[in-house]
Amino acid sequence: MANVPVQRMSQLMAKTLRDDPADAEVLSHKLLVRAGYVRRTAAGIWSWLPLGKRVLANVERIVREEMDAIGAQEVLLPALLPREPYEATARWDEYGQELFRLQDRKGGDYLLGPTHEEIFTLLVKDQASSYKDLPVILYQIQHKYRDEARPRAGILRGREFLMKDSYSFDTEDEGLARSYALHREAYRKIFARLGLDYRICAATAGAMGGSKSEEFLAPAEAGEDTFADCPNCDFAANTEAITYALKPVDATDVPAAEDIPTPDTPTIETLAASLGVPASATLKNLLVKVDGEIVAVGVPGDREVDLDKVEAHFAPAVVELVTEADFATRPDLVRGYVGPQGLDKVTYIADPRVAPGTSWITGANKPGTHTKNVVAGRDFEVDRHVDVVVVQEGDPCPKCGTGLVLDRAIEIGHIFQLGRKYTDALKLDVLGQNGKPVRVTMGSYGVGVSRAVAALAEQTADDKGLCWPKEVAPADVHVVAAGKALQTELALDISGKLAAAGVRVLVDDRPGVSPGVKFTDSELIGVPQILVAGRRAADGVVELKDRRTGEREELTVEEAVARLTA
Ligand code: ATP
Ligand code: MG
C-alpha cells in the first residue's frame, strides 16, 4: 500500500473542547464540536475541520463507489439555479419558505437548489433523443440549500448540507421499477458499509397504482421521524405513511339520533366523564382552513389530529387553524359543539375509524348540546376518509393486526418513483421504438451524506465520545505519545512505519499536554485503535487499545506494527 501522510495533532487545525457548546441539543452536535470535527458558522451552516472533512470524504467515497457499481454516472450541476424551470413545475412557489431565493444584479430571479429534479430533467432533455439513450442514472454529491424552520440539530438538519442526489430516466414503468430496485440495493450496501443500523420503511401511503417511496431510517433518540415497527411481521413504516383500510359496520340496530343537554362540557374529557362513556365513543371535529376554505376533520375523541398529515393531504394548499375571527363570520359553526350532521358548505374529512355505520356522540351544532347515536353514512356523509390521527404505540399493524412498536429515527436516505410529474411539466420525450415520442418516467433518490456522519455519531458514540466504524474513521490508528521526548520520538517513529505501510495515522505529539488529557482526547475523537507509547517506551513496549471495547494489550513495537499493518 502507498505511503500516506501522518496527521500530527501538534499541527492539527482543530481544538478539542472540554464543555458542550451552549446551543447543542443532540449528542452528535455536542461531540462533533467538542472533538474538533466541525464548527458552526451560522445557524444551520457548518464548517468541516480536517478530521470532520476526512469522515465526510469517507462517506462520500462509499456512496460514490456503490453508485458507480450500479452504473450511475457522476455529474456536477450548479447549486445556483435559474427560476424558470422551477416556475414550470410550480415548485418556485410550492416550496414555500424553505427555498432560498435571490436576485442577481440585473434583477433576475435565482434559487439555491434544494433538490434538482428540474435541472436533471432538462439535462436529459438536452442530451437524450431516442429510447436508445435510456435508461440512464445520473448522480451528484453536492451542497443543497433549504431554509429549514428549525435548524437545531447540528449537522443532522443543516440549511446547507451535503446530499447525494440521483435521478433515473426510463421509457417504461418496468424500467423505473428496475432503476428503483438498483438504488434500493445500492443503499443497502452503502448503509451496511457505513456501519449504520437502519430500517427500510414505507414512506407514502402506497395507494393502488400510486408512486412508490421508501425511506431509510436510522433508529436514534435524536431522530425527528417516528417509525412504527411490527414485532410480528415485516411491516415497518414512517408513522406519517400508515394507512388503515375502511371497515364499514352494520348500523341497523342503532336508534335515531337524539340531542342531549351537556352543559359545562367544554372538553372531550369533561364530556366523556359526565356521560360515563369512554372518550373513544365521542367524535371530535377540528376545523381548519385550507387555502381559506373551512374544512372539518373528524377523529375519535381519544385521538389527536396529526396536522402534518392534514397538510400533506392538502399539499400544496396552505392549512391553517381557524381563528376567533373565522367563527365570527360563520355563526353556523358553534365553537366546542361542532358535529358533522347538518354541516353546510363545509368539506368533511374523517379518519378511517369513522367508517360507514359507526355510531358517535358528537356536537349538536348548538351551544351546550351534543347528539348521540349519530351514524356515519346515515346522519352525515364523510367527503373523504384520510388517515389523519397521530399513530400511537400499540395501534394495530395494518398488515397483521399486532400492536405496533414506535421508535425515533433519522432519515438517512429516500428513494422515490416519481413517475412523469417532472417530465410532463418540462415535456421530456424521447423517440420510442415505433418512431413516436414517449414521455420519460423518472425516479429520484437521496442520501444525506453530511447527515449520515451525524447519524453515525449518534448511533456509535458512548459516554467517552465518538467511536467510528473503521471504514469512515478519520484515521485507522491514533498514536499517543504519553510522556516526554523519548515517548514522542517512539510515537513518531511508529507512525512513520505505519504510514509507510498505508495505515492512516493520527499521532498526538502535542508538547506540554499531559497523558491524561491525551487519553481523554483520544477517546473523544474516536479512532478505532489507540496505540500508546508510555511508561515502557524505553523497553520498546507499547499498549494497543480497542476504542470500542476498551480491551488493551501490551506489545513490542514490532508486534504492534505487524498487527496494525496485517
Ligand atoms: P426531512 O424529512 O428530514 O426534512 P426530507 O424528506 O426533506 O427530509 P429529502 O428531500 O428526501 O429529505 O432529501 C434526501 C435526503 O437528504 C434525506 O433523506 C436526508 O438524509 C437528507 N436531508 C434532507 N434535509 C436535510 C437537512 N436539512 N440537513 C441534512 N440532511 C438533510
Ligand atoms: Mg425536509
Side-chain angles (χ1 to χ4, degrees):
M1 251 204 270
N3 196 339
V4 291
V6 171
Q7 178 65 61
R8 296 172 67 156
M9 280 187 69
S10 58
Q11 290 156 15
L12 187 67
M13 184 52 64
K15 274 202 205 96
T16 55
L17 307 174
R18 284 295 137 248
D19 297 314
D20 291 332
D23 58 340
E25 292 177 11
V26 301
L27 185 67
S28 55
H29 183 178
K30 292 175 188 166
L31 291 176
L32 289 169
V33 171
R34 273 183 48 206
Y37 283 66
V38 297
R39 282 290 180 273
R40 179 184 176 279
T41 301
I45 303 177
W46 293 88
S47 300
W48 293 78
L49 307 192
L51 295 179
K53 180 67 175 76
R54 287 186 180 197
V55 176
L56 191 64
N58 288 336
V59 174
E60 271 183 63
R61 175 178 46 79
I62 290 171
V63 170
R64 190 170 275 122
E65 284 172 8
E66 297 302 337
M67 290 307 297
D68 291 346
I70 61 167
Q73 302 174 47
E74 183 169 7
V75 295
L76 183 59
L77 271 48
L80 177 60
L81 302 171
R83 168 178 176 158
E84 291 72 22
Y86 285 78
E87 190 75 61
T89 60
R91 286 214 291 185
W92 175 263
D93 292 316
E94 284 175 10
Y95 233 104
Q97 292 195 305
E98 247 185 59
L99 194 64
F100 277 106
R101 301 170 179 86
L102 66 162
Q103 288 195 325
D104 69 3
R105 61 173 79 203
K106 294 185 189 135
D109 284 322
Y110 291 81
L111 63 132
L112 296 176
T115 164
H116 279 63
E117 281 77 5
E118 285 83 349
I119 311 303
F120 275 83
T121 304
L122 290 177
L123 175 68
V124 173
K125 188 169 167 163
D126 177 49
Q127 296 291 319
S129 51
S130 144
Y131 71 94
K132 291 179 198 150
D133 298 322
L134 301 183
V136 68
I137 298 174
L138 300 171
Y139 78 99
Q140 61 177 351
I141 297 177
Q142 183 216 39
H143 278 126
K144 294 284 180 277
Y145 297 86
R146 296 181 186 179
D147 197 357
E148 300 278 0
R150 300 177 303 269
R152 285 174 316 157
I155 301 296
L156 282 173
R157 186 170 295 283
R159 295 199 295 164
E160 175 187 84
F161 59 96
L162 202 57
M163 194 202 287
K164 183 288 297 175
D165 49 326
S166 47
Y167 307 86
S168 66
F169 296 87
D170 283 270
T171 47
E172 284 166 14
D173 294 348
E174 301 76 55
L176 171 57
R178 236 179 345 261
S179 298
Y180 183 90
L182 283 173
H183 274 90
R184 200 174 193 272
E185 271 317 295
Y187 278 32
R188 293 174 60 146
K189 290 191 180 138
I190 289 168
F191 296 127
R193 282 180 67 187
L194 289 177
L196 275 166
D197 171 25
Y198 70 93
R199 305 273 188 291
I200 303 178
C201 291
T204 47
M208 299 280 283
S211 55
K212 178 168 174 160
S213 155
E214 287 167 300
E215 287 172 353
F216 290 70
L217 298 182
E221 240 172 77
E224 292 175 300
D225 284 83
T226 307
F227 77 100
D229 216 357
C230 178
N232 181 52
C233 74
D234 65 355
F235 179 85
N238 193 315
T239 51
E240 287 169 10
I242 293 184
T243 55
Y244 288 100
L246 202 58
K247 290 196 191 120
V249 298
D250 181 16
T252 21
D253 295 338
V254 182
E258 183 188 335
D259 283 359
I260 38 175
T262 50
D264 303 325
T265 55
T267 63
I268 291 288
E269 290 71 38
T270 50
L271 173 69
S274 84
L275 297 177
V277 298
S280 59
T282 69
L283 175 63
K284 79 176 168 198
N285 304 287
L286 181 77
L287 298 179
V288 295
K289 275 189 302 180
V290 178
D291 274 353
E293 294 281 315
I294 292 192
V295 170
V297 183
V299 302
D302 62 334
R303 305 301 301 234
E304 289 309 316
V305 174
D306 188 335
L307 275 179
D308 289 342
K309 288 184 174 177
V310 178
E311 274 174 13
H313 176 73
F314 287 107
V318 178
V319 176
E320 300 159 288
L321 290 174
V322 295
T323 61
E324 206 70 62
D326 297 314
F327 277 107
T329 63
R330 292 288 301 258
D332 56 319
L333 301 173
V334 186
R335 179 168 233 169
Y337 297 92
V338 173
Q341 69 288 10
L343 265 190
D344 212 16
K345 286 184 271 152
V346 174
T347 302
Y348 191 64
I349 66 168
D351 187 74
R353 289 167 183 82
V354 190
T358 53
S359 169
W360 305 92
I361 297 165
T362 191
N365 300 309
K366 291 181 241 179
T369 314
H370 281 83
T371 310
K372 66 177 183 181
N373 302 327
V374 180
V375 174
R378 183 188 78 179
D379 301 314
F380 66 94
E381 292 302 329
V382 174
D383 291 308
R384 264 192 315 285
H385 282 98
V386 186
D387 284 84
V388 287
V389 305
V390 176
V391 174
Q392 293 171 1
E393 180 104 9
D395 277 353
C397 167
K399 227 168 148 180
C400 76
T402 308
L404 293 170
V405 177
L406 302 191
D407 264 313
R408 310 284 296 164
I410 299 163
E411 181 191 321
I412 46 175
H414 193 175
I415 53 177
F416 203 70
Q417 293 191 18
L418 282 173
R420 297 181 176 81
K421 176 173 173 198
Y422 292 89
T423 55
D424 278 343
L426 297 163
K427 305 197 172 36
L428 168 56
D429 296 330
V430 292
L431 276 190
Q433 240 157 336
N434 58 5
K436 290 199 184 116
V438 200
R439 187 64 31 109
V440 172
T441 182
M442 193 175 165
S444 111
Y445 318 87
V447 170
V449 173
S450 50
R451 181 180 282 186
V453 173
L456 257 179
E458 291 286 339
Q459 284 192 343
T460 58
D462 60 20
D463 56 352
K464 300 187 186 72
L466 298 164
C467 197
W468 300 107
K470 186 169 163 47
E471 263 214 83
V472 298
D476 299 312
V477 188
H478 187 142
V479 179
V480 177
K484 298 248 153 51
L486 173 75
Q487 281 81 6
T488 304
E489 211 172 291
L490 182 63
L492 288 173
D493 179 54
I494 296 173
S495 298
K497 287 189 175 123
L498 291 171
V503 177
R504 300 170 306 145
V505 180
L506 175 68
V507 56
D508 195 346
D509 58 339
R510 290 176 294 175
V513 176
S514 76
V517 167
K518 288 183 178 176
F519 293 146
T520 312
D521 277 349
S522 71
E523 289 179 321
L524 177 63
I525 288 169
V527 171
Q529 309 255 21
I530 299 167
L531 189 71
V532 182
R535 246 173 305 129
R536 299 190 57 195
D539 315 329
V541 175
V542 290
E543 188 181 77
L544 184 62
K545 190 169 102 180
D546 184 298
R547 167 65 185 86
R548 177 165 303 282
T549 63
E551 271 167 44
R552 46 184 85 206
E553 204 179 343
E554 285 202 330
L555 300 169
T556 65
V557 170
E558 292 68 36
E559 285 169 340
V561 171
R563 178 83 63 87
L564 292 167
T565 53

